[in-house]
Amino acid sequence: DQQVKQNSPSLSVQEGRISILNCDYTNSMFDYFLWYKKYPAEGPTFLISISSIKDKNEDGRFTVFLNKSAKHLSLHIVPSQPGDSAVYFCAASSWGKFQFGAGTQVVVTP
Amino acid sequence: DAGVIQSPRHEVTEMGQEVTLRCKPISGHNSLFWYRQTMMRGLELLIYFNNNVPIDDSGMPEDRFSAKMPNASFSTLKIQPSEPRDSAVYFCASSIQGTSSYNEQFFGPGTRLTVL
């Protein structure tokens, strides 16, 4: 039962442009949402998070938006850089227990 | 800080053999999580421990899988007998579980398991 879904398995974007990654969830009990970034042969690393009481959180080139009514969150990367090429996992938390999406492979082309 | 340490990094075994994956969490962290990553389902939580006690093992696929945490600095995930469909990357993560709903999890580098 996938409660967190990333429907786009891959995304290709040109360097300098915006990358938009989407994530949907079904469980209204989730109260914290996170994005993790994963390079090949490494474990996922934390990127950015947002509490359910907010609708936007920004950290440098990365912004996460949360639409609770739609049970949808997105990650914007502006501008995209070659080093952003990785797999991005969306995660939702309820009392410390995370559920992850299947991931979106981002490729930033020159 | 060395971060979360997992061993082995790669394991190739034959169907029917026992496989043991090991994890050393970050010192001072009181929660430990085992995940499995597959192409189809992404990162699935298998089991997690809080203060060395298993809290939720609902993600463990079947009785062939077992996990232990004998002390705060060591955990194992065992598969016996292993099957080809168990082939995946297995991650261990740890966190400091407090009273907040959110506690960042730190992941190890993973163990890539191949069962032939």
Side-chain angles (χ1 to χ4, degrees), chain A residues 1-2 31-32 34 36 38 41-46 49 87 89 93-103, chain B residues 9 33 35 37 39-43 45 48 56 58 91 97 99-110:
Chain A
D1 176 25
Q2 288 283 93
D31 57 0
Y32 226 97
L34 308 92
Y36 275 75
K38 183 185 177 307
E42 295 182 10
T45 55
F46 169 75
S49 65
V87 177
F89 289 99
S93 171
S94 176
W95 291 106
K97 180 178 173 181
F98 289 10
Q99 294 214 22
F100 284 84
Chain B
R9 293 294 308 275
F33 306 79
Y35 290 90
Q37 182 190 7
M39 289 294 291
M40 292 301 295
R41 298 180 65 84
L43 278 169
L45 177 65
Y48 82 92
D56 185 343
S58 59
F91 289 101
Q97 199 83 340
T99 55
S100 165
S101 174
Y102 162 60
N103 301 283
E104 182 184 340
Q105 294 183 15
F106 296 81
F107 282 77

Side-chain angles (χ1 to χ4, degrees), chain B:
Chain B
D1 195 329
V4 176
I5 299 172
Q6 290 187 247
S7 64
R9 293 294 308 275
H10 302 272
E11 177 80 35
V12 180
T13 190
E14 292 188 344
M15 183 174 64
Q17 297 297 307
E18 176 180 299
V19 174
T20 299
L21 312 181
R22 297 173 177 80
C23 175
K24 177 179 168 54
I26 293 173
S27 177
H29 284 192
N30 61 353
S31 290
L32 183 140
F33 306 79
W34 282 102
Y35 290 90
R36 176 171 67 176
Q37 182 190 7
T38 61
M39 289 294 291
M40 292 301 295
R41 298 180 65 84
L43 278 169
E44 298 176 272
L45 177 65
L46 301 177
I47 185 171
Y48 82 92
F49 296 83
N50 193 32
N51 294 321
N52 313 337
V53 176
I55 302 299
D56 185 343
D57 65 354
S58 59
M60 296 286 261
E62 47 197 279
D63 292 345
R64 297 184 297 106
F65 286 69
S66 63
K68 293 182 180 179
M69 191 164 186
N71 57 61
S73 59
F74 184 66
S75 176
T76 59
L77 178 67
K78 186 177 292 186
I79 309 172
Q80 165 64 17
S82 58
E83 297 181 2
R85 61 194 168 118
D86 301 330
S87 298
V89 181
Y90 291 80
F91 289 101
C92 176
S94 70
S95 72
I96 299 174
Q97 199 83 340
T99 55
S100 165
S101 174
Y102 162 60
N103 301 283
E104 182 184 340
Q105 294 183 15
F106 296 81
F107 282 77
T111 295
R112 179 173 293 279
L113 173 65
T114 302
V115 183
L116 303 174

